[in-house]
Amino acid sequence: DTAVSQTPKYLVTQMGNDKSIKCEQNLGHDTMYWYKQDSKKFLKIMFSYNNKELIINETVPNRFSPKSPDKAHLNLHINSLELGDSAVYFCASSQATSHRGEQYFGPGTRLTVT
Amino acid sequence: GESVGLHLPTLSVQEGDNSIINCAYSNSASDYFIWYKQESGKGPQFIIDIRSNMDKRQGQRVTVLLNKTVKHLSLQIAATQPGDSAVYFCAESFVSGTYKYIFGTGTRLKVLA
């Protein structure tokens, strides 16, 4: 029973393409997140989202957009991919809506842009 | 391949010894802190959290200490085991308009047999 799942696990694509990463949580949590982990292992929050509010990290390019069809899903769409987008992307969820409390992370999607 | 993260500060500890991983946080307004463990090829995993109205909190084999005066956080792992080998991240949270959540740079813990 995977709590937070992501697909695909690996994604290799060329510059300029548009791609999506899917995330699903079966924990009944109200809040979901997307994180980016770069090659130096640095983790940075990109978005947090619940039914009421999307909070965007101001440093995230607008080529990145989260889409939530329902409370259990938060997909990440990336347009016009660039080399610097290569990273591991993690989805997470939490019961709390305030970034407080335990967050459950997915296994990650390794994106490689060539 | 796993060439990433090799530059991370590394703490090597003998199996059975206690480990102390340190973290300096940046914002004096931070009022909530979390430690995460990340094993190779996996997502971060919650270990323990602490609010700023506390200076110590204990879990199973782990203790987090918070020193707000010097903006320092530490994670103590008792009787370190091979399964504790991972990268450990601290994270701080504060409110600035909205909730902000910032991860530290991570420390790699290597447990020596």
Side-chain angles (χ1 to χ4, degrees), chain B residues 38-110:
Chain B
Q38 187 177 23
E39 296 176 271
S40 181
K42 296 184 178 180
Q45 179 185 3
F46 174 94
I47 301 174
I48 191 168
D49 60 358
I50 188 168
R51 296 187 182 272
S52 59
N53 60 354
M54 304 172 69
D55 53 20
K56 180 180 180 179
R57 189 162 188 228
Q58 289 184 293
Q60 187 177 13
R61 278 202 310 119
V62 295
T63 301
V64 55
L65 298 178
L66 174 63
N67 185 330
K68 295 183 286 293
T69 303
V70 294
K71 293 191 286 188
H72 184 267
L73 197 65
S74 68
L75 178 70
Q76 300 178 1
I77 304 173
T80 312
Q81 302 169 359
D84 295 328
S85 292
V87 176
Y88 289 81
F89 295 94
C90 66
E92 59 181 307
S93 178
F94 57 94
V95 177
S96 176
T98 60
Y99 285 98
K100 302 293 185 184
Y101 202 81
I102 300 174
F103 277 80
T105 53
T107 299
R108 183 179 300 281
L109 176 65
K110 287 187 176 179

Side-chain angles (χ1 to χ4, degrees), chain A residues 9 35 37 39-45 53 55 58 90 97-103 105-107 110, chain B residues 2 4-5 7-8 31-32 34 36 38 41-44 46 51 89 93-95 98-101 103:
Chain A
K9 187 168 176 60
Y35 288 85
Q37 187 170 44
S39 60
K40 297 180 180 179
K41 286 283 193 182
F42 186 66
L43 264 167
K44 193 169 187 179
I45 190 167
E53 192 175 18
I55 300 173
E58 57 274 10
F90 288 101
T97 57
S98 61
H99 293 199
R100 307 301 162 90
E102 183 171 353
Q103 292 187 22
F105 282 76
R110 183 175 292 277
Chain B
E2 203 45 40
V4 298
H7 70 290
L8 285 173
D31 60 354
Y32 179 69
I34 301 182
Y36 284 94
Q38 187 177 23
K42 296 184 178 180
F46 174 94
R51 296 187 182 272
F89 295 94
S93 178
F94 57 94
V95 177
T98 60
Y99 285 98
K100 302 293 185 184
Y101 202 81
F103 277 80

Side-chain angles (χ1 to χ4, degrees), chain A residues 1-50:
Chain A
D1 289 341
T2 304
V4 181
S5 59
Q6 297 177 228
T7 54
K9 187 168 176 60
Y10 299 97
L11 181 56
V12 181
T13 188
Q14 291 185 325
M15 280 195 304
N17 285 349
D18 302 337
K19 291 293 179 185
S20 295
I21 306 172
K22 295 185 177 181
C23 178
E24 177 181 3
Q25 55 96 3
N26 63 5
L27 299 167
H29 286 168
D30 291 326
T31 305
M32 297 183 72
Y33 310 82
W34 276 105
Y35 288 85
K36 178 181 181 180
Q37 187 170 44
D38 64 21
S39 60
K40 297 180 180 179
K41 286 283 193 182
F42 186 66
L43 264 167
K44 193 169 187 179
I45 190 167
M46 301 175 70
F47 304 100
S48 66
Y49 187 85
N50 61 27

Side-chain angles (χ1 to χ4, degrees), chain A residues 54-71:
Chain A
L54 169 66
I55 300 173
I56 302 172
N57 185 319
E58 57 274 10
T59 65
V60 175
N62 58 14
R63 298 181 294 105
F64 290 79
S65 58
K67 297 283 194 294
S68 181
D70 55 59
K71 198 174 86 163

